[in-house]
Amino acid sequence: MKKTTYLIIAGFIALTSCKQKQDEEDPQFDQITINGVVVGTEAQVLAGGNLAFVVQCSDNESLNQLKIDLHSDSDGHTHGDVGEGEGSEGEWEELEIVSLDGTNQSISRTYSIPETVRGEWHLGFSLIDEKGNEATPRFIDLEVVNELIPTIVIDELNGTDADTLVLGAGEMLNITGTVSDATGLSTIELHLEEEDGTELYTTSIDAGGSTTYDLSAASFEIPSATGSTVDFSITATDTDGYEYTWSVELSYQ
Amino acid sequence: MINHFLLVLLSIASFSSAAQCVVSGHVLDAKTMAPLPFATLSDLGTNQQMAADEKGYFQLEGSCSTHMLKVQFLGYESLIDTVVFSNNAHFDLSLKQSAVAINEVTISESGRTSILPFVPMHKLEPVLFSNGLNQHAAELFTSVEGVSSINTGTNSGQPAIRGLFGSRVGIIVDGVPQQNQQWGVDHGLDLDPWLIQKFAVHKTGAGLLFGPSASSGAIEVETTPQLSQNELKCALIARGLSATQMAEGALNLAKRWKHLQLFAVGGARSYADYRVPANSFSYLDRTFDLENGQLVNTSGTSNGQQIGALWEKKSRSVQVNLRRNHQAFGIFPGIFGIPSASDLLGDGEQRRTNLPKMTSTHTIGSLHLNQTLAHSALAVTAAYQLSERTERGEAHAHGDGPVPSSELALGLKLRTLFFDANWTEFDLKKNKLYVKAQAEFQNSTSQGWEFLLSDYNGANFGLMGGIKMDVRDGSLNIGVRGDFNHLEVLSFHELTYNEDGVVSGSAERSPHINKQFFMWGANVNFAKSIDETKELHLILARSVRAANAYESAANGVHHGTFRHEKGNLNLSPEVGYVADVQLSKSNAWEVNPFFGYYSNFIFLAPSGQFSTLPEAGQLYQFMQSEVVRYGAEMAVERTIRKCFFELSGAYVNGVVMEEGTALPWTPPFRASAEIKRSWELSNKGQTLFVAPRLEVFAAQNQVFRNENPTPGYQLVNCSLGYTNAKGKRSFQLIAFITNALNERYINHMSRYKILNLPEVGRNVGITLNYTF
């Protein structure tokens, strides 16, 4: 009986010592270039221009799909080495799944960069082979420099942060900030609306082609509102017709 | 290295001798409670026989473990009963008068026909949820080696037997396979832990008795309390856990009259958001910060109720059970689409549940009839179950479609009608015949603005026959079962919209499926007593099951696994051949190796495609492959100077033959060591115990493609208990701590490992149990 028990224990040890063949057959990214330059985790492009990239990838058996995912970094996430940036302005998303075959592929794409975006985006590439093995995804911090649209910088509203500000009817809304544009500003419009879009206050300021406008001159009295929140926005238009809108939701009592 | 060290420990301890316990009791007439002088008692495990004295009193000595006793007395039905030997335990065994010739009647404590001859099982003994370190029902079952719990959060989990779960492992409650949460392979049990009176684990061949949904094992739960005549039993339980600020209470009431027994159980719990020792988590390659490790919006409530009535007279019994379990909890925003940083901050309220959130409700009514005939026994069960699940979130639309007006993302309802009839012939001299017929009908419907699985209807008819033969020094049981399975999944087309938001057509999301299969399974089970204390079981089983509706037709994002899962309509019935050896020495050790070969094992695997659904990564699809599974469980116990030592370990591996890699979700090697020391205090009826426990989990590097390996870890747990019992009244206070060293670890079997989220840290609990 002892022999039997020893045999069972020896068998148990043998079982637990077994090692499987590990999956070492993931596809891989060989090189990525953006606008002709080989990139690592960072790249810079211009709004209104092109984002042209080439992805070279390979697999020991057969590549199957490449997923291209360009999204804003504004929601506070990171991708390993590609960290949280300063945020982005404007809408721009790209999502594309490209079919592949063979063991080596080079995929080229050119996306038009909207004239209305600015800030940091994440350009991500995911790659799988025919069996479903997935490459370690590649992400690139893409900074979009925009020299076309005006810039609006709001430092404070009524001397405080917009998140903590509570407006009341009859009070003044004092804006600390600037609007600037290299080619010259044409108009600056301020809008205060109820949640349902009912206009509470609107004004249009002629900036006269100046490159900078101090928003402290645009302070105004808060009219009465019915809801608990209001939407406040500033839209600046430059002399070339490019415009940019900054907006925030404010509490109202 | 850890594996080998622990195995050496196990092997050293396995040669130690067992402690002996002395128990006593009376053999009584079940009706008059008069003693039955000189009744014969046999310990079926050791073949030891003895007679009661002239007052029906007996005293037995044996290993301090579970024993099967057979009691016989002329003119009475024989009784086979499972009893736990512990020192100075006293129990009365009641026999019913027989109007017919004396035959061997196999009845379990609950009156249901014993299933022991056909499917070996581990444990069928009274359990008390409050005694353990368990956080939910699934963890209760992990006291049996080879059973693990797949946790989804801290308050829900699903049991896995040797790494298999879901549609392969049946949860059989009072003889009825529980059909709920069939819309995801990892959903937790809808079973209130306070209902559980006893449970048994069947590791191999359970499909023979419980059908294809138990092809790789079953956990059988009994909820009917055992009472003697005119007994009233009440229990009040209160419990709290620190990690989730969980508070719960339960009330059990049971009263037995001469022929009638009524019982009711009710329990409720509330818990707050919980924290993990982590500052970030990953979702679809995006990493998000976690403020103070808090998983916001994970709070919730749950409650369960059961009422039952049992009427027994002579050889007939009727039982009706009604049971309901309800859960409502928030869904961590990090798993319901891509979250934003602000979603993960929550609203500062740790007990408020916001969107996204879900509910799950399971309701069942069952009727059980038992009739002992002259030379046979008949048991019939009928049950109706309704399982409902809702997932709610902020209404939104992808693409150009209109925004829905409701928060209901997914509303699923599954209705199941179940019939079971067993007939046992026990008068064939040395042989016994067993015949079983089962039928199950299902209907599932879906609503909401998300899509996971189309409406479907299913039916399964099973017929099983078995024979038990006494052979030299043992018994041989052979059973065969045939099942006819039908599944119809209705097609589902979703509307497509143009850029103006106007309907432009429709696209097929799920095709119409209509499949029928005839399947057969079989078991051969040889049991033999090697000597007075050692027992050997050899089991050979052919298991079979057809793919269920989810495996065949799912096509949507499953938030529980955080990915797009797709069914496969070409799946054929899965066939497996399993050999299982159980070798045990009473109260000393047990070794249980097994080996299984599956010609077309069904599992969920990453495909070579990305999901085209928004906010979903790689597409996962059910596939079939040739698979080999093997492993073993070991347990060694010994009592030295009032200290009870237990060492145990379990190992399992599965190999996908075509790929040469492990099956996904294979549990790592696990070993545990527990020491329990009890003291009888000077005041009569007062006892104290302390039970430190060490659990060691090896690293799991044997993984399927794209599955992350997990490092090994050790957990230190401890429980401390005080009991004060006077007559019928007893008061019990148990304090416990799990993960005492606050180890940061990732459970390989937790779905949260996909998010790189560790389990909860140190968790302190306290339980008060007052019985009167």
Side-chain angles (χ1 to χ4, degrees), chain B residues 419-572:
Chain B
F419 299 98
D420 178 283
N422 299 279
W423 179 78
T424 309
E425 166 68 63
F426 46 76
D427 197 26
L428 294 176
K429 297 183 179 176
K430 287 187 173 182
N431 301 336
K432 287 182 183 178
L433 279 180
Y434 187 91
V435 178
K436 174 189 273 285
Q438 276 184 338
E440 188 178 73
F441 305 91
Q442 291 194 320
N443 167 257
S444 175
T445 54
S446 171
Q447 56 179 321
W449 41 264
E450 280 198 343
F451 179 82
L452 184 61
L453 177 63
S454 192
D455 297 352
Y456 68 89
N457 298 303
N460 193 86
F461 301 92
L463 191 63
M464 173 253 173
I467 185 166
K468 179 188 177 189
M469 296 174 281
D470 290 338
V471 295
R472 192 178 173 185
D473 298 331
S475 65
L476 180 66
N477 311 292
I478 299 172
V480 181
R481 177 180 175 122
D483 281 277
F484 173 76
N485 184 274
H486 174 243
L487 173 68
E488 181 179 25
V489 183
L490 305 183
S491 63
F492 180 80
H493 290 76
E494 58 188 2
L495 298 175
T496 55
Y497 298 86
N498 63 21
E499 288 180 356
D500 300 323
V502 177
V503 174
S504 58
S506 66
E508 185 179 74
R509 181 77 175 259
S510 179
H512 179 250
I513 298 174
N514 195 345
K515 297 166 84 171
Q516 290 96 26
F517 292 108
F518 174 75
M519 311 171 289
W520 67 274
N523 276 16
V524 177
N525 173 17
F526 175 66
K528 175 183 167 64
S529 295
I530 296 171
D531 59 29
E532 286 189 354
T533 58
K534 297 188 191 75
E535 194 167 286
L536 174 70
H537 277 271
L538 295 172
I539 307 117
L540 297 172
R542 183 187 197 269
S543 66
V544 62
R545 73 178 189 95
N548 64 17
Y550 190 82
E551 292 164 328
S552 303
N555 189 8
V557 173
H558 177 201
H559 298 301
T561 51
F562 332 116
R563 58 197 180 199
H564 182 175
E565 295 178 354
K566 191 172 183 183
N568 183 343
L569 57 87
N570 297 316
L571 297 175
S572 57

Side-chain angles (χ1 to χ4, degrees), chain A residues 27 59 62-67 97-101 126-135, chain B residues 564 566 605-612 617-623 659 704-706:
Chain A
D59 184 62
S62 181
L63 294 160
N64 205 50
Q65 283 190 338
L66 172 74
K67 185 176 182 179
I97 296 171
V98 184
S99 294
L100 309 173
D101 55 24
S126 303
L127 181 67
I128 45 178
D129 67 13
E130 203 169 37
K131 285 188 172 177
N133 294 305
E134 186 173 24
Chain B
H564 182 175
K566 191 172 183 183
S607 74
Q609 295 183 314
F610 290 107
S611 169
T612 53
Q618 191 172 1
L619 177 71
Y620 278 67
Q621 186 160 25
F622 287 94
M623 60 177 281
E659 312 244 353
F704 194 63
R705 74 170 83 106
N706 303 343

